[in-house]
Amino acid sequence: MLSDQQFLRIPGPTPIPPSVQRAMSQPMVGHRDQETKHLLQTIKPKLKPIFDTKNDIAIIAGSGTAGLETAVINSVQPNDEVLVIVTGAFGDRFAQICETYHLRTHRINVTWGEAVPLDLVESYLNNHPAIKAVFATFCETSTGILNPVEKLANIIRRTSEALFIVDGVSSVGAVPTKMDEWDVDIVVTGSQKAFMLPPGLTFIAISDRAWQAINANQQPRFYLDLRKYRDNSLLDSTPFTPSLSLLYGLKQVLELFENEGLKNVFARHQLMMHMTRAAFRNLNIPLLTNDTNASPTVTAIQPVDFQADSLRKIVKEHFHTVLAGGQANLKGKIFRIGHMGYCSPADVLQTISSIEIGLQMIGKKITLGAGTQAAQEVYLGGFRK
Amino acid sequence: MLSDQQFLRIPGPTPIPPSVQRAMSQPMVGHRDQETKHLLQTIKPKLKPIFDTKNDIAIIAGSGTAGLETAVINSVQPNDEVLVIVTGAFGDRFAQICETYHLRTHRINVTWGEAVPLDLVESYLNNHPAIKAVFATFCETSTGILNPVEKLANIIRRTSEALFIVDGVSSVGAVPTKMDEWDVDIVVTGSQKAFMLPPGLTFIAISDRAWQAINANQQPRFYLDLRKYRDNSLLDSTPFTPSLSLLYGLKQVLELFENEGLKNVFARHQLMMHMTRAAFRNLNIPLLTNDTNASPTVTAIQPVDFQADSLRKIVKEHFHTVLAGGQANLKGKIFRIGHMGYCSPADVLQTISSIEIGLQMIGKKITLGAGTQAAQEVYLGGFRK
């Protein structure tokens, strides 16, 4: 009976809201017809506030990595010097893409679970004036840290002529992203995180400064050529057949964002982060990240006296709740809770109280309810102020 | 009341069957969880018969053009000589991709609406022994011709060491595609044509001979790197987050193919083609293509005494039936009827009888019912044999 029930608490893909699911059931339409033109006309202006930008935003059929590659191959070319800030698996992926395309790739490698130290970036840029672009991950999904993108942007503008290119895959739509005010050049995100859609779309917002580099760039590219998307966007069209079902879902997602209000969406994610962190703190189970750079979208927990993967297994078995494990060198050492997109404080309470039972079952001594209680206090605290 | 009704008779995207629509409403799952692993395990063996192959088939999130580019950048590299057979807009796209990547691109340009003459290919290959790959379009969607892929394969094998790479976007799943028997090296297709899914997936089937070239190829690539898809496929996984909703839909599509039987699917498309062609012949309205190389999936009609686009407009207005126009140099000169995927003989009768009214309305003198009658005769003919 409960085989249909599953609570997806991984940091993406995230659950699909019912109204978005229904919107995606729209029968197919012609991608060169008025229906698609109107759809794109509705979507485009409503997408910009999520990035807080006036810039163009390209929508490409593909996964988030296609978006990261799009950012790389359009903005820089072989032998250009680039700096990649690597704070986890997705920073590493950005660097791998740069290396694949024969860029002279400098890496600042940061211990996984920590944010990048700002002074390190500043001195690195001062010492390497030829760097043409800096790549950073906003929320590093593999660890749950949120890198200080605004401050990084300040440093880059002060010390360098480099483009600043940000992987916003598990942050945009859940965390304030002031692309124009911060002066970020490219922000990439995907559909299956805070955008509450199935995987299959990637979004690339592009500043005027970035367009200059893109227009001058000789790197061969076709499907991921941003110029093609811009030229067609001017006609409310797309260069290649778009993922129509996802676009219908996106239209509804943007409605949901408007209805809740972006400020409230961001506050909800903050609240869910605080509830989750308070819970594990009260259970005396260590968090991977410190409070300063914790992401509102995903929390990594680093147990010292039980197996993360045993807990994940038993929680899935008993409560149909899916938690994420660790990636690469954190494999088996942490578990991660996604609290992003279509996720509420009530969902967080459910997740924590289920995990408490799981902990008891695998033999970890805890006070049942202690985590839940702390999360409840956080929730109530917001109303006592 | 009828605003919900639309009959999509363009050559892709095609209508989605209700059971496929329902399958895509599956709630989101973790892309690294058992659910996705089982989904891929179910899909992979059932996909191969559609290509009639034992080869690996990569599934990539992206549109058909991403698949074409994948074929190009994995199999050849800058300065390699390639031959592209251009019989319409999609052959031209293949050539554009090759040119973008600095391949020495030879084109055989064929008049739009005709299939490639075989002797031309044979002599071309004899005169250009350095050609490393030949690119051809199976069904040229822009004109409705079906190029003789089997015969082309024979010629290429007899005269050359070149790889043979086929765009099967609007044919695979509707037309017999004997990849192994014909000895084709790469066959590309997309989700939104005979596969009856929304756009957003591309499939690339790869021969052993092609794998040798792919493994040796130094061309930089990341998201479209077939080696990554192969390595992950061995673990029933994907290198990047897959389009999960479309994969759930695909599983159901493969069920539908099995239930109807591939032979019956192919015969149905043949029948729909014959019905459509007989109708316009009986109406004395010229077809763009001759019978020998007509595609079972799309029929182009080339009116001489009325405006194709006026007909399309009125048929959409009155009957919610969407026909395709012409592309590039055929814009305004033809209209195209898609009879592909989730489309039946009854749908063809509906389309033709609606078009007959539309013709009358725009002032073209016809005998009402003459096209429908011819189509009916074709249908009945199949039972009289």
Side-chain angles (χ1 to χ4, degrees):
Chain A
M1 185 186 72
L2 289 181
S3 68
D4 258 27
Q5 193 174 59
Q6 184 174 95
F7 304 108
L8 199 60
R9 294 291 159 242
I10 62 176
T14 61
I16 315 294
S19 68
V20 176
Q21 195 68 265
R22 286 194 299 274
M24 290 192 296
S25 296
Q26 159 77 35
M28 218 19 64
V29 296
H31 62 301
R32 298 291 178 232
D33 283 342
Q34 286 300 319
E35 286 87 346
T36 302
K37 195 167 177 165
H38 290 154
L39 183 60
L40 291 168
Q41 283 169 343
T42 309
I43 287 170
K44 286 195 298 180
K46 294 189 179 193
L47 197 53
K48 292 175 190 274
I50 321 278
F51 296 74
D52 207 346
T53 188
K54 289 178 187 158
N55 292 328
D56 295 328
I57 304 173
I59 306 177
I60 300 183
S63 68
T65 301
L68 302 183
E69 180 169 341
T70 300
V72 172
I73 64 175
N74 280 274
S75 59
V76 282
Q77 45 195 326
N79 295 319
D80 279 354
E81 280 190 58
V82 299
L83 172 61
V84 186
I85 295 167
V86 180
T87 54
F90 290 93
D92 185 62
R93 180 165 295 178
F94 239 153
Q96 281 179 37
I97 296 171
C98 291
E99 285 156 2
T100 297
Y101 283 96
H102 305 305
L103 302 167
R104 295 188 201 177
T105 309
H106 303 261
R107 289 175 180 238
I108 293 183
N109 285 308
V110 180
T111 306
W112 289 31
E114 294 176 13
V116 63
L118 293 166
D119 51 352
L120 210 60
V121 178
E122 184 156 11
S123 64
Y124 207 98
L125 287 174
N126 279 326
N127 293 331
H128 298 82
I131 283 171
K132 290 248 175 92
V134 179
F135 294 87
T137 319
F138 196 174
C139 170
E140 174 51 67
T141 319
S142 63
T143 68
I145 63 107
L146 194 74
N147 279 304
V149 164
E150 181 181 7
K151 289 174 184 160
L152 283 170
N154 285 339
I155 287 172
I156 293 164
R157 291 297 165 242
R158 218 169 49 223
T159 56
S160 153
E161 296 290 305
L163 295 175
F164 185 31
I165 296 170
V166 172
D167 168 357
V169 170
S170 60
S171 53
V172 175
V175 176
T177 309
K178 298 176 185 294
M179 182 175 188
D180 294 358
E181 190 184 314
W182 301 347
D183 202 5
V184 178
D185 293 305
I186 296 185
V187 178
V188 178
T189 194
S191 53
Q192 78 279 18
K193 309 274 182 174
F195 275 78
M196 306 178 285
L197 287 165
L201 288 184
T202 180
F203 306 92
I204 302 110
I206 307 137
S207 76
D208 288 340
R209 195 188 291 109
W211 275 121
Q212 289 180 27
I214 292 165
N215 290 329
N217 193 334
Q218 297 299 310
Q219 170 87 41
R221 62 239 199 235
F222 197 88
Y223 183 67
L224 302 180
D225 186 346
L226 284 171
R227 297 166 299 185
K228 292 186 167 67
Y229 290 86
R230 176 197 55 202
D231 295 349
N232 281 272
S233 179
L234 294 173
L235 311 168
D236 296 314
S237 183
T238 59
F240 313 113
T241 318
S243 287
L244 288 161
S245 298
L246 293 177
L247 291 184
Y248 276 106
L250 175 60
K251 183 181 160 198
Q252 177 58 20
V253 161
L254 296 171
E255 283 280 326
L256 293 178
F257 273 119
E258 270 190 12
N259 293 347
E260 186 174 355
L262 270 177
K263 276 191 182 170
N264 298 324
V265 171
F266 299 151
R268 172 167 54 82
H269 283 87
Q270 277 283 332
L271 175 60
M272 296 192 294
M273 170 188 79
H274 286 305
M275 289 172 70
T276 305
R277 295 178 72 83
F280 287 94
R281 207 157 262 151
N282 215 34
L283 288 167
N284 284 312
I285 300 174
L287 299 162
L288 177 67
T289 59
N290 65 27
D291 286 346
T292 318
N293 297 105
S295 172
T297 57
V298 51
T299 299
I301 294 104
Q302 187 170 33
V304 286
D305 51 5
F306 65 90
Q307 297 294 320
D309 288 345
S310 306
L311 177 70
R312 289 173 59 221
K313 191 162 171 250
I314 211 155
V315 168
K316 184 167 187 190
E317 192 182 319
H318 280 267
F319 301 108
H320 328 290
T321 295
V322 188
L323 307 172
Q327 290 176 283
N329 59 333
L330 289 175
K331 203 174 168 74
K333 294 184 184 156
I334 62 169
F335 64 95
R336 292 173 297 150
I337 302 174
H339 32 77
M340 175 165 35
Y342 183 53
C343 185
S344 69
D347 291 324
V348 172
L349 293 174
Q350 180 186 49
T351 306
I352 289 167
S353 47
S354 303
I355 287 175
E356 288 180 328
I357 295 181
L359 287 166
Q360 197 77 287
M361 282 177 158
I362 63 166
K364 162 76 179 163
K365 294 271 185 296
I366 56 152
T367 309
L368 274 178
T372 305
Q373 188 190 24
Q376 290 166 324
E377 293 288 355
V378 169
Y379 187 85
L380 285 168
F383 290 89
R384 283 202 198 105
K385 271 182 221 161
Chain B
M1 185 185 73
L2 288 181
S3 68
D4 258 26
Q5 193 174 57
Q6 185 174 95
F7 303 108
L8 198 60
R9 294 291 160 242
I10 62 175
T14 62
I16 315 295
S19 69
V20 175
Q21 195 67 266
R22 287 194 299 275
M24 290 192 296
S25 296
Q26 160 75 34
M28 220 14 68
V29 296
H31 62 300
R32 297 292 177 231
D33 282 342
Q34 287 300 318
E35 285 88 346
T36 302
K37 195 168 179 165
H38 289 155
L39 183 60
L40 292 168
Q41 283 168 343
T42 309
I43 287 170
K44 286 196 297 179
K46 294 188 179 195
L47 197 52
K48 291 175 191 276
I50 320 278
F51 296 75
D52 206 347
T53 188
K54 289 179 186 157
N55 292 328
D56 296 328
I57 303 173
I59 306 176
I60 301 183
S63 67
T65 301
L68 302 183
E69 179 168 341
T70 300
V72 172
I73 65 175
N74 280 272
S75 59
V76 281
Q77 46 196 328
N79 295 318
D80 279 355
E81 279 189 60
V82 298
L83 171 62
V84 186
I85 295 167
V86 180
T87 53
F90 290 93
D92 184 63
R93 180 166 295 177
F94 239 154
Q96 281 180 36
I97 296 171
C98 290
E99 285 156 1
T100 298
Y101 283 97
H102 305 306
L103 302 167
R104 294 187 203 177
T105 308
H106 303 260
R107 289 174 180 238
I108 293 184
N109 285 309
V110 180
T111 306
W112 289 31
E114 294 175 14
V116 64
L118 293 166
D119 51 352
L120 210 61
V121 177
E122 183 156 11
S123 64
Y124 207 98
L125 288 174
N126 280 325
N127 293 331
H128 298 82
I131 283 171
K132 290 249 173 92
V134 179
F135 295 87
T137 319
F138 196 174
C139 171
E140 174 53 66
T141 318
S142 63
T143 67
I145 65 105
L146 194 74
N147 279 303
V149 164
E150 181 180 6
K151 288 174 186 162
L152 283 170
N154 285 339
I155 287 172
I156 294 165
R157 291 296 166 244
R158 216 170 50 223
T159 56
S160 154
E161 296 290 306
L163 295 175
F164 185 32
I165 296 171
V166 172
D167 168 356
V169 169
S170 59
S171 52
V172 175
V175 175
T177 309
K178 298 177 185 292
M179 182 175 188
D180 293 358
E181 190 185 313
W182 300 348
D183 201 6
V184 179
D185 292 305
I186 296 184
V187 178
V188 178
T189 194
S191 52
Q192 79 278 18
K193 307 273 183 175
F195 275 78
M196 305 178 284
L197 287 163
L201 287 185
T202 179
F203 305 92
I204 301 111
I206 308 137
S207 75
D208 289 340
R209 194 188 292 109
W211 274 121
Q212 289 180 27
I214 293 165
N215 289 329
N217 193 334
Q218 298 298 310
Q219 170 87 38
R221 65 246 198 226
F222 197 87
Y223 183 66
L224 301 180
D225 186 347
L226 284 172
R227 297 166 299 185
K228 291 185 167 67
Y229 290 85
R230 175 196 55 201
D231 295 349
N232 281 273
S233 180
L234 293 172
L235 311 167
D236 295 314
S237 183
T238 58
F240 313 114
T241 317
S243 287
L244 288 161
S245 298
L246 292 178
L247 291 184
Y248 276 106
L250 176 60
K251 184 181 159 197
Q252 176 58 19
V253 161
L254 295 171
E255 283 279 325
L256 293 179
F257 273 121
E258 270 191 12
N259 293 347
E260 185 173 355
L262 271 177
K263 276 190 183 171
N264 298 324
V265 172
F266 299 152
R268 172 167 53 84
H269 283 85
Q270 278 283 333
L271 175 61
M272 296 191 297
M273 170 187 78
H274 286 306
M275 289 171 71
T276 305
R277 296 178 71 81
F280 287 93
R281 207 157 263 150
N282 215 33
L283 288 165
N284 285 313
I285 300 174
L287 299 162
L288 178 67
T289 59
N290 65 25
D291 286 345
T292 318
N293 295 107
S295 172
T297 58
V298 50
T299 298
I301 293 101
Q302 188 170 34
V304 286
D305 51 5
F306 64 89
Q307 295 296 320
D309 288 345
S310 307
L311 177 70
R312 290 172 58 221
K313 191 162 171 252
I314 211 156
V315 168
K316 185 167 186 189
E317 193 182 318
H318 280 267
F319 300 108
H320 329 289
T321 295
V322 188
L323 307 172
Q327 290 176 284
N329 59 332
L330 289 175
K331 205 174 168 75
K333 293 185 186 157
I334 61 168
F335 64 97
R336 293 172 295 152
I337 303 173
H339 31 78
M340 174 165 36
Y342 183 52
C343 185
S344 69
D347 292 323
V348 172
L349 293 174
Q350 180 185 48
T351 306
I352 290 167
S353 47
S354 303
I355 288 175
E356 287 179 328
I357 295 182
L359 286 166
Q360 197 77 288
M361 283 177 158
I362 62 167
K364 161 77 180 162
K365 295 269 184 298
I366 56 153
T367 308
L368 274 177
T372 305
Q373 188 191 24
Q376 290 167 325
E377 293 288 355
V378 168
Y379 187 86
L380 284 168
F383 290 89
R384 285 203 198 105
K385 271 182 224 164

